[in-house]
């Protein structure tokens, strides 16, 4: 793709590139160090059908001019370049801007100028805060040592900015960079592990644009504007793992930006490479909303200063939601603002749960689902995501009870318990976890096991086995999903007053049927006397999502047995010799 050149105010030639839908709204993409316009290739591919896209090479990189003076690399000059690009490519028409790193910093600089609000329709900022806002936050908090947490965080932010000093050293640092980042190596390093190709000019671009850091360190760290107010709608993409721009350094941006949205994602510095889908969706949702469309759920959740209940603008999927713990969990999420997808193998009870939620003012979508059918669960997940979006919280709760000695339990029944209790959890995770990872904005999965997962019981072999497998599966999957910012909690209820005892199947010889019926009656009475309802388990589930707990026993006996299982498992093995039926 051949560039078109425009002249900046100081005569520097800026290479610009136009792609996408010529009839769509204009989106201008501004990159930082050590990139060129190639940084945005992954984002452009996702937005080309929707937007007319303008990318450009910063001064010193790609096909643009390489000015010699260090002063030519001050943020004021980069803001001049952005202004020139806007004037040449979209005269008189407000554009959307997406900026990363120094490209974002330069955009903030431009937005502080008179008339900038007439040129920019929205600004999405990634890993590049306003230097005025960032410095103001640091010095404001450092001046208040009586607030130790804020003081220490400000000191951390200031300390992290010292990375600029070694990069600003003339001669030696450029020589070292040429050695370390020569050839293709320059193009695949500093990409948060994605190894995305930066182009053939990567080494030269990296070295030339080091002058940004020399220009920055020449400025006083105490010098900033306290009145840098921005009236343009701004969206922050906050990378939790950014090594320099810390999330808490952006907490006060709202005092300068009245129309602000913020999305925190589990990403490093180079989110345009690692999470292009997140940036594409964020820009699209904001642009569509500003054009008059209703705000998408994710955009509503991101709006700063909007009054909301804890789970407002959150989508939750709960299996086995027709009764017991599932119904209580769906209801609890709905009371705190969540839209809830309620599924159950029994259509009538799923609709009943949804009707109760809607009667209380909530939003619920009922579905019929057999969680043991992997193909059905996949179809269910695809339909839910297509109609309602990817759930933010997935609760795999559906399960069945089973009692009776192993030798008395038919093989097909044993398999059925595993298919529902374990297979249902595995199917739910397989169907939704990949979609959560692809979405790129995190989420949480809750797998409901049982105290039986770590308490062996004679006469409960199939049930205990299924729940123990859920426990270990969940621990393994939690470790896998953590890098994507997706939490996973294993819930282990103890004796809870639900309908599970009545619906549990007892497989016993004919001569023991009366004893089994008596055991069922005693268990039902015990569960009823326990007076520990499913709503308490639901409360524990919500609390676990808040805290990202790994394992959450529920009920005092579940906590006690969990502790014993960790320190003295032989006690539980000995206890298991007692008969249940």
């Amino acid at each position: 793709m051949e560039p078109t050149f425009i002249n900046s105010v100081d005569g520097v030639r800026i290479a610009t590139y136009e792609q996408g839908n010529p009839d769509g709204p204009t989106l201008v993409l501004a990159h930082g160090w050590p990139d060129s316009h190639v940084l945005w290739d992954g984002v452009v591919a996702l937005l080309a059908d929707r937007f007319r896209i303008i990318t450009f090479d910063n001064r010193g990189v790609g096909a643009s001019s390489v000015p010699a003076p260090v002063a030519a690399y001050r943020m004021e000059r980069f803001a001049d370049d952005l202004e020139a690009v806007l004037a040449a490519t979209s005269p008189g028409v407000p554009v959307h801007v997406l900026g990363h790193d120094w490209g974002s910093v330069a955009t903030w600089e431009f937005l502080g100028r008179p008339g900038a609000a007439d040129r920019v329709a929205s600004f999405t900022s990634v890993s590049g805060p306003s230097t005025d806002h960032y410095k103001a936050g640091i010095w404001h908090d450092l001046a208040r040592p009586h607030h130790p947490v804020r003081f220490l965080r400000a000191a951390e932010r200031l300390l992290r900015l010292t990375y600029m000093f070694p990069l600003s050293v003339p001669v030696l640092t450029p020589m070292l960079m040429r050695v370390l980042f020569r050839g293709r190596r320059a193009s695949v390093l500093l990409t948060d592990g994605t190894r995305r190709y930066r182009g053939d000019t990567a080494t030269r671009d990296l070295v030339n644009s080091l002058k940004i850091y020399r220009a920055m360190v020449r400025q006083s760290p105490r010098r900033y504007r306290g009145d840098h107010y921005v009236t343009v709608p701004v969206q922050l993409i906050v990378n939790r793992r950014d090594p320099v721009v810390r999330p808490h350094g952006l907490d006060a941006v709202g005092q300068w930006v009245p129309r602000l949205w913020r999305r925190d994602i589990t990403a490093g510095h180079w989110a345009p490479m690692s999470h292009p889908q997140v940036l594409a969706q964020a820009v699209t949702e904001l642009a569509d909303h500003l054009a008059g469309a209703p705000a998408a759920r994710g955009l509503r959740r991101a709006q700063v200063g909007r009054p909301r209940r804890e789970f407002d603008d959150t989508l939750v999927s709960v299996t086995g939601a027709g009764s017991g713990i599932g119904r209580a969990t769906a209801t609890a999420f709905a009371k705190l603002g969540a839209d809830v997808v309620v599924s159950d193998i029994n259509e009538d009870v799923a609709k009943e749960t949804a009707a109760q939620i809607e009667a209380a003012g909530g939003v619920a979508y009922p579905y019929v689902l057999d969680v043991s059918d992997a193909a059905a669960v996949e179809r269910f997940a695809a339909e839910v995501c297509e109609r309602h979006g990817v759930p933010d919280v997935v609760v795999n709760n559906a399960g069945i009870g089973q009692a009776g000695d192993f030798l008395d339990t038919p093989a097909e029944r044993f398999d059925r318990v595993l298919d529902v209790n374990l297979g249902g959890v595995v199917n739910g995770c397989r169907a939704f976890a990949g979609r959560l990872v692809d979405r790129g904005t995190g989420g949480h999965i809750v797998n409901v096991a049982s105290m039986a997962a770590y308490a062996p019981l004679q006469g409960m072999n199939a049930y205990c086995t299924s729940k123990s497998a859920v426990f270990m599966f969940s621990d393994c999957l939690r470790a896998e999903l953590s890098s994507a910012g997706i939490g996973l909690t294993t819930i282990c209820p103890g004796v809870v007053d639900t309908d599970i005892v009545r619906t549990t199947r007892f497989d016993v010889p004919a001569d023991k049927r009366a004893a089994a019926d008596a055991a069922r009656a005693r268990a039902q009475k015990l569960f009823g006397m326990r007076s520990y309802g499913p709503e308490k388990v639901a409360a524990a589930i919500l609390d676990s999502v808040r805290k990202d707990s790994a394992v959450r026993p529920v009920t005092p006996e579940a906590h006690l047995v969990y502790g014993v299982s960790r320190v003295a498992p032989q006690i539980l093995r000995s206890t298991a010799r007692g008969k249940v039926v």
Side-chain angles (χ1 to χ4, degrees):
M1 181 172 52
E2 291 298 318
T4 299
F5 292 93
I6 63 172
N7 289 325
S8 192
V9 292
D10 58 352
V12 172
R13 299 179 74 216
I14 302 297
T16 65
Y17 307 82
E18 181 172 337
Q19 302 173 72
N21 180 0
D23 298 321
T26 300
L27 172 65
V28 175
L29 308 180
H31 71 82
W33 181 87
D35 298 294
S36 67
H37 75 280
V38 176
L39 168 79
W40 297 112
D41 284 356
V43 177
V44 169
L46 298 173
L47 293 175
D49 291 341
R50 173 73 174 78
F51 292 91
R52 171 183 174 245
I53 300 174
I54 306 295
T55 57
F56 63 95
D57 292 329
N58 283 346
R59 52 178 59 211
V61 306
S64 293
S65 299
V66 184
V70 172
Y73 292 85
R74 296 176 62 178
M75 282 301 106
E76 294 93 326
R77 300 290 77 78
F78 285 92
D80 290 338
D81 297 345
L82 175 62
E83 188 168 6
V85 169
L86 299 183
T89 61
S90 302
V93 180
V95 306
H96 301 282
V97 178
L98 170 60
H100 174 253
D101 192 74
W102 294 114
S104 177
V105 175
T107 304
W108 283 108
E109 178 73 24
F110 171 69
L111 291 177
R113 296 179 175 180
D118 297 326
R119 303 292 297 112
V120 177
S122 77
F123 171 41
T124 299
S125 170
V126 188
S127 289
S130 159
T131 54
D132 294 316
H133 300 163
Y134 208 68
K135 288 179 182 179
I138 289 174
W139 296 113
H140 178 273
D141 290 345
L142 286 178
R144 289 160 176 78
H146 51 286
H147 295 292
V149 173
R150 293 173 61 180
F151 178 85
L152 291 174
R153 283 182 168 182
E156 178 206 4
R157 297 197 298 272
L158 186 61
L159 183 63
R160 286 177 183 269
L161 291 177
T162 59
Y163 85 99
M164 289 190 284
F165 288 99
L167 292 180
S168 68
V169 176
V171 183
L172 180 60
T173 296
M175 288 177 57
L176 184 61
M177 290 291 184
R178 287 190 181 93
V179 173
L180 294 177
F181 296 96
R182 62 187 173 188
R184 189 173 179 85
R185 183 185 301 175
S187 193
V188 298
L189 294 178
L190 300 177
T191 63
D192 290 339
T194 63
R195 300 185 70 79
R196 290 282 302 278
Y197 183 59
R198 275 197 167 92
D200 297 331
T201 64
T203 302
R204 180 175 64 87
D205 296 343
L206 182 152
V207 172
N208 288 342
S209 52
L210 283 172
K211 289 182 179 179
I212 294 173
Y213 296 99
R214 279 185 244 167
M216 287 300 297
V217 299
R218 291 181 180 183
Q219 299 179 9
S220 168
R222 296 299 302 264
R223 180 185 174 189
Y224 60 87
R225 289 178 50 190
D227 61 347
H228 185 185
Y229 296 101
V230 175
T231 58
V232 167
V234 174
Q235 179 171 221
L236 301 177
I237 307 297
V238 180
N239 300 326
R240 297 189 185 99
R241 294 176 179 167
D242 193 301
V244 175
V245 182
R246 306 306 298 145
H248 50 76
L250 302 170
D251 290 346
V253 173
Q255 65 183 287
W256 291 286
V257 184
R259 301 183 67 188
L260 181 67
W261 291 261
R262 172 172 172 158
R263 304 179 193 236
D264 289 55
I265 65 174
T266 302
H269 183 73
W270 277 277
M273 293 181 175
S274 64
H275 290 69
Q277 76 282 16
V278 176
L279 274 58
Q281 182 172 354
V283 168
T284 301
E285 288 181 354
L286 181 58
D288 287 348
H289 177 55
L290 294 175
R297 181 183 289 111
L299 187 65
R300 295 197 305 269
R301 190 166 60 248
Q303 188 172 357
V304 176
R306 176 173 172 263
R308 58 189 298 269
R309 290 169 293 178
E310 183 176 10
F311 288 101
D312 268 344
D313 311 314
T314 299
L315 183 65
V316 179
S317 171
V318 184
T319 63
S323 62
I325 292 171
R327 174 175 286 183
T329 300
T331 301
F333 273 113
K335 284 181 179 178
L336 292 178
D339 294 353
V340 187
V341 175
V342 297
S343 59
D344 199 281
I345 196 170
N346 185 322
E347 182 177 12
D348 291 339
V349 295
K351 289 183 175 179
E352 185 179 307
T353 298
Q356 290 180 6
I357 289 173
E358 290 173 348
V363 177
Y365 312 104
Y367 285 83
V368 179
L369 180 65
D370 178 357
V371 297
S372 69
D373 184 339
V377 175
E378 173 58 30
R379 289 193 299 272
F380 163 74
E383 184 175 350
V384 166
C385 294
E386 176 67 24
R387 288 188 176 184
H388 315 295
V390 178
D392 303 289
V393 181
V394 176
V395 182
N396 294 307
N397 163 75
I400 58 176
Q402 174 66 28
D405 288 347
F406 172 72
L407 298 180
D408 295 329
T409 303
E412 63 273 14
R413 183 61 187 174
F414 196 101
D415 291 344
R416 177 61 180 167
V417 174
L418 293 180
D419 287 345
V420 175
N421 291 1
L422 172 60
V425 170
V426 172
N427 292 337
C429 289
R430 180 177 287 118
F432 282 111
R435 289 175 166 90
L436 284 166
V437 171
D438 290 343
R439 183 180 66 170
T441 54
H444 202 94
I445 296 173
V446 176
N447 292 336
V448 179
S450 167
M451 180 178 74
Y454 45 80
L457 295 168
Q458 188 178 170
M460 297 287 287
N461 195 304
Y463 186 77
C464 290
T465 298
S466 68
K467 294 301 185 178
S468 182
V470 168
F471 190 102
M472 181 53 70
F473 167 77
S474 300
D475 254 5
C476 294
L477 187 59
R478 176 180 171 88
E480 289 184 31
L481 297 178
S482 62
S483 62
I486 299 168
L488 193 151
T489 297
T490 308
I491 296 290
C492 299
V495 177
V496 180
D497 187 13
T498 67
D499 209 26
I500 191 170
V501 176
R502 184 186 64 79
T503 58
T504 291
R505 172 169 166 166
F506 283 65
D507 282 305
V508 296
D511 61 342
K512 295 183 179 180
R513 175 57 58 190
D517 290 342
R520 185 197 301 272
R522 289 194 303 272
Q524 282 185 291
K525 183 177 180 180
L526 172 64
F527 276 54
M529 293 175 58
R530 180 70 174 78
S531 297
Y532 201 103
E535 68 282 350
K536 294 184 179 179
V537 182
I541 289 174
L542 268 66
D543 191 56
S544 297
V545 172
R546 296 182 190 104
K547 298 177 179 177
D548 187 22
S549 305
V551 178
R552 180 66 179 268
V554 186
T555 71
E557 65 274 10
H559 281 280
L560 174 63
V561 174
Y562 183 64
V564 173
S565 73
R566 313 300 284 182
V567 299
Q570 184 57 45
I571 293 176
L572 298 180
R573 297 189 186 105
S574 299
T575 304
R577 295 170 185 167
K579 282 282 187 179
V580 173
V581 297

